[in-house]
Amino acid sequence: MQDWGFVRVTAASHPVCVADPNANGDNVIAALKMHSDSSVVVFGELSLCGYSCGDLFAQDVLLQSSLRALNRIAQATGTTDQLVLVGLPLAVEGRLYNVAAALHAGCVVALVPKQYLPNYQEFYEARWFTAADSNLPSHVQLEGHGLVPFGIDLLIRRGGLKIGIELCEDLWMPVPPSSLQATAGANLILNLSASNELIGKADWRKVLVTSQSGRCLAAYAYASAGPSESTTDVVFGGHCLIAEGGRLLAESKRVGNSDNRPVQQTQATADIDLQRIEHDRRLTTSWQVACQRSRTVFRTIELPSSKSTADGGLRHVSGRPFVPEDPATLHGRCEEIFGIQCAALAKRIGRLPAHTPLSIGVSGGLDSTLALLVAVRTCQQYDWPVQRIVGLTMPGFGTTAKTLGVAQALMKHLSVTSQTIDIRQLCLDTFLGIDHAPFGIPLAGLDMSEFEKRLQSLPTDARNDLTFENVQARVRTLLLMSRGFVLGTGDLSEQALGWSTYNGDHMSMYNVNTSIPKTLVRFLISYLAEHQFQSPVRECLQQVVAAPISPELLPKSASGEVLQRTEDSIGPYELHDFFLYHLIRGGASPKKILHLAAGAQFSRHYEADEVRRTLSIFLKRFFSNQFKRSCVPDGPKVGSVSLSPRGDWRMPSDADVAAWLADWDSL
């Protein structure tokens, strides 16, 4: 089976018969059968006897019954290849400890006691248990298992998986044990918990688990006691959570959010990505410093590697990783991004001489529209006249009447200074000056009208001339830079693909769109149309969103319709943005990217061959166009993926793509 770096983990809360370890052992074994495809299963705190046993914890009958249940569960793991964590009270040298027991292949392989005992408000643990510290015996004799490693200095390694263990209150402390475990290499933290339900506590619990997984650059699985343990003054909810790198992967139902249905047995299961965790740790130099400074020494228990690995099938993979799926979250994200863009532009404008014109090329397309809206809103927020914005629309040989009309209408309704300059004659003069025959058409003796007729008569498959396109882009940049401080419009996706003319539309004085991918630009404009701008601007924006993506540089049809569509040439931007995210943010190999794409939820179905072909295009263009990214203008970083050569992405312009293509070709 292909190893994609995923490990399936389950956090489970089973029904508990308080003070009946035999019945609870049966319940754990039954639960393990339900989660037989998980490599790691963690149950709640004191799950073999129940957290709410009170003074019964001191009874020898309870302690011995718990050990017998532990042995039965350990025996059950002999045929599952699972690593299982259960909780029980354990007497060691005259003291009682609240312990997590790790079981594998029929054996108890580790015993980790709880370090921080809550003894306030509804909690009373210090009445029964001893808080664990470093002054503990290194091993405990267990009947049937011999000497078992015991202590707060234990980690469990299983192949690429390195596990740290803490119990409930440990997580709520200023320096949780898991922080030290993570700096010692643990990439999965397991928490056996009995956290009762109070108003608002579930949200705080979720924040703790998620944020700790982010701080530790690790996965975190949290299993809490369920309602079958509720007694006297406390109610337990069975809240189970799994997070990774600051992102919640799975959450169970619990008491209080279960639609009034009984909650007896809950679980959260997720495929954690060890390769991504490793990538993030390699990338985060401050993390490496923290590891160097950590002076805690841990013993590592080595277990055989798992016989099988998860394929990531339980992991939700969005086809649009830059675009939140929840509408409310998406609107909030769009509002935040637009605010960042405006604040960044205001700072740069504030450093310019007063009344310096802000020059922007307005094509009627997505990117220039967003940049124009940012400029307008920035001027409005700082009481600068919007007439300071000089919007130029510069129709060329591929410009359609529809996009030209939208650009002109948008500038008019936004009250910016606008100007239309037909660049066709300037470009024709340039062709003559550099002795270029566009598409093989001799220019001697041709006027503009005749030249246009010759262009329209060209067969569709003959309309390829890079010089013809680049001259138009560079003439437009010349006109823009002759009129003030130029605002760039190119987006993150275009930078990744090098889909810009060097020193043409690739150059400006400041680019407000530099770290926004194409898939998000469209949603941003839709959001702004709905929430930030009124009619008739709104109608113009809706037309922009509905139009196909095109640079409109190649000749249009005889009827004036656009023939050049970007995605027909390079493939869907939705795929390119997916590839970009997983390559840069997750450090995924091409092979893994294709695997993730096979399970991703895109806006439409893509055949496997189309995905493979588009990934090949992406890789080749990404590597071959670093020289353009090495000299892009300043612009605000708004997300976790950025290709700025000054901030996030430093790549040699002459790097070879061969190894990545070999990986792509190997699947």
Side-chain angles (χ1 to χ4, degrees):
M1 182 179 181
Q2 177 70 50
D3 184 3
W4 302 110
F6 294 111
V7 175
R8 186 158 296 172
V9 178
T10 292
S13 175
H14 61 84
V16 168
C17 298
V18 177
D20 189 351
N22 184 57
N24 295 331
D26 291 339
N27 290 337
V28 168
I29 293 171
L32 289 177
K33 293 178 181 178
M34 294 173 56
H35 305 298
S36 59
D37 58 346
S38 293
S39 296
V40 179
V41 183
V42 55
F43 294 95
E45 184 177 9
L46 295 167
S47 49
L48 295 191
C49 61
Y51 180 80
S52 51
C53 283
D55 285 349
L56 294 177
F57 284 126
Q59 295 285 314
D60 189 65
V61 170
L62 185 73
L63 300 181
Q64 294 303 316
S65 296
S66 296
L67 286 173
R68 287 193 293 271
L70 180 69
N71 287 335
R72 285 202 299 120
I73 299 168
Q75 186 176 8
T77 66
T79 58
T80 64
D81 195 40
Q82 292 175 311
L83 178 65
V84 178
L85 276 293
V86 294
L88 75 159
L90 183 68
V92 178
E93 296 184 351
R95 297 183 180 88
L96 191 61
Y97 293 94
N98 181 345
V99 168
L103 317 174
H104 178 257
C107 299
V108 179
V109 297
L111 296 165
V112 178
K114 188 173 183 177
Q115 299 185 46
Y116 296 97
L117 303 179
N119 213 55
Y120 53 86
Q121 295 174 340
E122 65 265 40
F123 299 107
Y124 211 37
E125 284 188 42
R127 177 181 175 92
W128 308 296
F129 298 108
T130 299
D133 56 22
S134 58
N135 298 313
L136 296 173
S138 62
H139 292 76
V140 170
Q141 182 75 42
L142 281 187
E143 183 177 350
H145 302 280
L147 286 174
V148 178
F150 176 72
I152 62 175
D153 60 343
L154 298 178
L155 299 177
I156 301 172
R157 190 200 307 273
R158 195 179 190 200
L161 189 64
K162 198 168 186 180
I163 297 172
I165 301 164
E166 62 186 5
L167 291 90
C168 198
E169 184 82 354
D170 292 346
L171 171 62
W172 302 67
M173 293 298 97
V175 183
S178 54
S179 296
L180 302 177
Q181 294 164 0
T183 57
N187 49 21
L188 170 63
I189 307 298
L190 304 178
N191 188 314
L192 296 77
S193 176
S195 179
N196 62 315
E197 295 303 322
L198 300 171
I199 295 172
K201 190 175 183 180
D203 290 337
W204 177 223
R205 188 186 301 126
K206 191 187 308 184
V207 168
L208 271 177
V209 170
T210 305
S211 61
Q212 185 67 355
S213 76
R215 282 193 300 272
C216 292
L217 294 179
Y220 198 110
Y222 180 99
S224 188
S228 55
E229 298 192 53
S230 302
T231 184
T232 314
D233 297 327
V234 292
V235 175
F236 298 98
H239 201 188
C240 297
L241 303 156
I242 300 178
E244 175 193 297
R247 184 165 67 101
L248 188 67
L249 298 183
E251 179 182 12
S252 72
K253 287 288 186 180
R254 60 176 177 82
V255 169
N257 75 340
S258 56
D259 304 322
N260 295 320
R261 288 174 289 185
V263 175
Q264 296 299 331
Q265 184 161 312
T266 62
Q267 63 87 24
T269 300
D271 292 344
I272 64 172
D273 191 342
L274 297 183
Q275 291 178 359
R276 177 162 177 167
I277 292 171
E278 183 67 21
H279 166 266
D280 289 352
R281 289 184 171 185
R282 286 196 304 266
L283 196 66
T284 309
T285 55
S286 51
W287 163 264
Q288 297 158 21
V289 172
C291 294
Q292 292 169 356
R293 292 180 179 176
S294 177
R295 292 179 170 84
T296 305
V297 178
F298 285 85
R299 293 176 285 161
T300 300
I301 300 166
E302 301 283 351
L303 301 180
S305 296
S306 177
K307 297 176 182 177
S308 63
T309 57
D311 61 2
L314 291 185
R315 213 175 160 89
H316 174 73
V317 182
S318 171
R320 292 174 173 171
F322 294 105
V323 181
E325 296 176 355
D326 174 63
T329 305
L330 175 58
H331 286 176
R333 182 74 53 81
C334 290
E335 182 178 10
E336 184 177 19
I337 290 172
F338 191 60
I340 292 172
Q341 289 179 285
C342 292
L345 180 58
K347 174 65 176 180
R348 181 54 55 91
I349 293 175
R351 301 297 298 170
L352 300 176
H355 309 301
T356 299
L358 307 178
S359 178
I360 180 170
V362 182
S363 67
L366 290 168
D367 295 336
S368 66
T369 295
L370 178 58
L372 178 62
L373 296 177
V374 171
V376 168
R377 183 49 48 88
T378 301
C379 287
Q380 291 173 342
Q381 289 175 342
Y382 288 85
D383 295 324
W384 296 325
V386 294
Q387 292 76 18
R388 182 179 182 179
I389 302 168
V390 180
L392 272 69
T393 182
M394 297 165 281
F397 297 105
T399 304
T400 63
K402 184 174 182 179
T403 54
L404 177 61
V406 169
Q408 292 172 330
L410 186 60
M411 290 188 290
K412 175 184 176 182
H413 298 319
L414 290 172
S415 301
V416 303
T417 301
S418 63
Q419 187 176 5
T420 299
I421 303 175
D422 190 326
I423 66 169
R424 290 177 297 172
Q425 188 60 54
L426 288 170
C427 293
L428 193 59
D429 293 341
T430 303
F431 298 145
L432 285 166
I434 64 174
D435 197 24
H436 177 67
F439 309 100
I441 301 173
L443 298 180
L446 287 183
D447 61 13
M448 180 61 66
S449 177
E450 184 61 30
F451 180 59
E452 287 270 33
K453 291 179 182 178
R454 296 283 296 275
L455 289 177
Q456 292 178 1
S457 66
L458 289 169
T460 301
D461 59 359
R463 298 174 183 235
N464 296 298
D465 188 326
L466 190 58
T467 301
F468 181 82
E469 297 185 67
N470 286 345
V471 164
Q472 293 177 80
R474 291 193 175 104
V475 165
R476 285 172 172 153
T477 301
L478 171 66
L479 295 173
L480 284 168
M481 291 199 171
S482 301
R483 280 164 170 73
F485 185 87
V486 179
L487 297 184
T489 63
D491 61 47
L492 178 65
S493 307
E494 292 179 344
Q495 287 183 28
L497 294 165
W499 196 251
S500 58
T501 298
Y502 193 91
N503 208 28
D505 52 332
H506 135 278
M507 192 50 59
S508 63
M509 279 74 165
Y510 193 75
N511 184 358
V512 294
N513 294 339
T514 188
S515 63
I516 304 176
K518 185 75 77 178
T519 49
L520 186 53
V521 170
R522 190 184 295 275
F523 283 93
L524 262 169
I525 295 175
S526 296
Y527 162 78
L528 295 172
E530 182 179 351
H531 297 281
Q532 299 269 350
F533 291 90
Q534 305 299 318
S535 297
V537 172
R538 176 178 296 162
E539 285 70 29
C540 290
L541 299 182
Q542 291 169 343
Q543 291 182 60
V544 170
V545 169
I549 299 171
S550 171
E552 294 193 350
L553 292 171
L554 292 176
K556 52 186 177 288
S557 70
S559 61
E561 297 299 319
V562 63
L563 294 177
Q564 183 184 21
R565 295 173 184 253
T566 300
E567 292 177 302
D568 290 344
S569 299
I570 60 174
Y573 270 116
E574 184 175 53
L575 289 179
H576 286 299
D577 285 354
F578 182 87
F579 302 151
L580 174 65
Y581 177 86
H582 289 285
L583 178 73
I584 302 300
R585 180 62 188 87
S589 67
K591 191 188 308 184
K592 186 169 182 176
I593 291 172
L594 287 173
H595 176 72
L596 292 171
Q601 299 179 12
F602 293 106
S603 63
R604 69 172 179 85
H605 174 71
Y606 296 103
E607 296 293 340
D609 285 346
E610 182 180 7
V611 177
R612 277 182 57 85
R613 183 173 62 253
T614 307
L615 178 57
S616 175
I617 293 171
F618 172 83
L619 292 171
K620 292 173 182 176
R621 294 194 65 95
F622 184 82
F623 272 77
S624 64
N625 284 284
Q626 176 62 29
F627 74 98
K628 292 183 181 179
R629 295 190 292 269
S630 293
C631 59
V632 294
D634 293 345
K637 177 180 178 179
V638 301
S640 60
V641 176
S642 170
L643 295 176
S644 167
R646 296 165 296 277
D648 288 74
W649 189 251
R650 296 165 181 84
M651 172 181 170
S653 296
D654 303 306
D656 201 308
V657 71
W660 281 259
L661 288 179
D663 187 85
W664 165 85
D665 194 45
S666 66
L667 186 61

